[in-house]
């Protein structure tokens, strides 16, 4: 008897009719003879509404209490879905993350899964139940409810699939699969039938919202194929796995973008050992994630250091960095929050000449200035003015012929 793990996003369970539709899809899997575990997100915009409510109560809500509050959204979804299945005559039980044995660290709002004690889930499956698990949440060693951060239900689903030994994790959302670029932005975007873990991880990390990066990491680590498909259609979706061939004609496979980019430049830094550590260690202690880092060549032992953070963290980062800049003798700190990043992604680009040149030329022809460049083995990212991001995406999608199957 096969084990099926499915995950349904917030849009898929946004109202009663959609919950009933999801219940019918789950029932179809059960009718095939499969054991079924389902992970659900909160209904529609519930999480945003709960956050807004919390900040109406307090300008600085307690992190622990906020996690308890936010976890209720997924509990509501899971219980309603179990009720819908009961009404259809199918045995089902809803479990919170804690009841499902999802153990996390104590980092509220961004907890990481430490392990899954799956005995309860297995016990319920053995009873013949469809198990509905509230995503996005777990429980710490101190028995406190924690949440995994935005997109955390994806991570819950893949972690459960790995723990239970499922052959695949099915992620159902409001799009038909993974596209060469956001299809809402570029109608010519082409759906990919398959993509490798590494390419998908770069896409997810650099702006593609279809799947959470940590879910992809877990899939690759435990070799769990992930199917991304629509809960509204019968599209075959996109299979994310480790067996995709590198030897394709067009190494560029997709374009990702992100508008949540802010830049900080520390100007006139004395170029001596320990300066970088003096800047970045306090930022790490403050929980501020750094993305791109660029240091100019030193002239007369003076240099400039530029790095990027999420826009939401810019204020905190500037509060941390300004006193450090004064203490190390830097001339000034400058920031810019009107930026975005555009990435071309594809396995094999690094070893194939011409991709970087084509990207830079395409942006130049549109009069788009590149402020920073960062690369990996399968990605080229340019940080540009936020207002020009859509122009850049259109130009790059056309230049790399991503609307044409190759």
């Amino acid at each position: 008897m096969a084990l099926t793990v499915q995950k349904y996003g917030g849009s898929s369970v946004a109202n009663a009719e959609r919950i009933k539709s999801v219940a019918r899809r789950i029932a179809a899997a059960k009718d095939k003879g499969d054991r079924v575990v389902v992970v659900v997100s909160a209904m529609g915009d519930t999480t945003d509404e709960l956050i807004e409510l919390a900040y109406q109560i307090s300008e600085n809500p307690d992190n622990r209490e906020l996690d308890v509050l936010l976890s209720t959204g997924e509990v509501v979804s899971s219980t309603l879905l179990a009720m819908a299945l009961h009404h259809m005559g199918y045995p089902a039980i809803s479990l919170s993350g804690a009841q499902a044995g999802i153990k996390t660290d104590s980092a509220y709002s961004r907890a990481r899964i430490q392990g899954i004690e799956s005995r309860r889930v297995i016990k319920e499956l053995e009873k013949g139940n469809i198990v509905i698990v509230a995503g996005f949440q777990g429980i710490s060693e101190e028995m406190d409810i924690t949440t995994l951060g935005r997109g955390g239900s994806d991570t819950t689903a893949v972690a459960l699939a790995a723990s239970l030994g499922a052959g695949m994790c099915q992620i159902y959302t409001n799009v038909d699969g993974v596209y060469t670029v956001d299809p809402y932005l570029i109608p010519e975007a082409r759906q990919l039938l398959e993509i490798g873990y590494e390419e998908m991880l770069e896409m997810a990390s650099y702006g593609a919202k279809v799947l959470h990066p940590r879910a992809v990491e877990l899939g690759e680590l435990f070799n769990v194929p992930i199917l991304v498909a629509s809960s509204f259609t019968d599209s075959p979706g996109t299979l994310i796995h480790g067996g995709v061939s590198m030897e394709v004609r067009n190494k560029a496979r997709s374009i990702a973008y992100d508008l949540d980019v802010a830049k900080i430049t520390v100007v006139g830094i004395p170029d001596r050992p320990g300066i970088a550590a003096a800047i970045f260690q306090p930022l790490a202690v403050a929980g501020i994630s750094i993305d791109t880092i660029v240091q100019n060549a030193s002239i007369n032992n003076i240099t400039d250091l530029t790095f990027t953070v999420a826009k939401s963290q810019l204020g905190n980062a500037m509060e941390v960095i300004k006193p450090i800049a004064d203490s190390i003798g830097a001339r000034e700190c400058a920031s810019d929050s009107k930026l975005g990043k555009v990435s071309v992604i594809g396995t094999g680009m690094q070893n194939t000449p011409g991709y970087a040149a084509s990207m830079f030329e395409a942006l130049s022809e549109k009069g788009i200035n590149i402020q920073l460049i960062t690369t990996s083995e399968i990605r080229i990212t340019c940080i540009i003015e936020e207002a020009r991001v859509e122009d850049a995406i259109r130009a790059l999608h056309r230049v790399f012929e991503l609307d044409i199957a190759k």
Side-chain angles (χ1 to χ4, degrees), residues 154-231:
D154 292 342
T155 308
T156 302
V158 178
L160 276 169
S163 173
L164 296 168
M168 180 188 298
C169 181
Q170 301 167 358
I171 305 287
Y172 290 103
T173 180
N174 60 350
V175 295
D176 288 337
V178 179
Y179 283 74
T180 52
V181 71
D182 185 349
Y184 294 111
L185 189 64
I186 308 293
E188 302 78 25
R190 181 173 52 84
Q191 184 183 340
L192 302 171
L193 293 180
E194 62 175 350
I195 189 169
Y197 290 121
E198 290 186 354
E199 289 178 334
M200 189 66 237
L201 181 57
E202 292 282 16
M203 288 180 66
S205 299
Y206 282 82
K209 307 300 184 185
V210 68
L211 194 60
H212 196 280
R214 280 157 58 190
V216 184
E217 289 176 349
L218 282 175
E220 182 174 24
L221 180 62
F222 292 99
N223 195 28
V224 176
I226 303 169
L227 177 70
V228 177
S230 172
S231 62

Side-chain angles (χ1 to χ4, degrees), residues 353-363 380 400:
Y355 282 89
S358 296
M359 183 177 188
F360 303 153
E361 182 178 4
L363 297 178
I380 307 167
F400 291 112

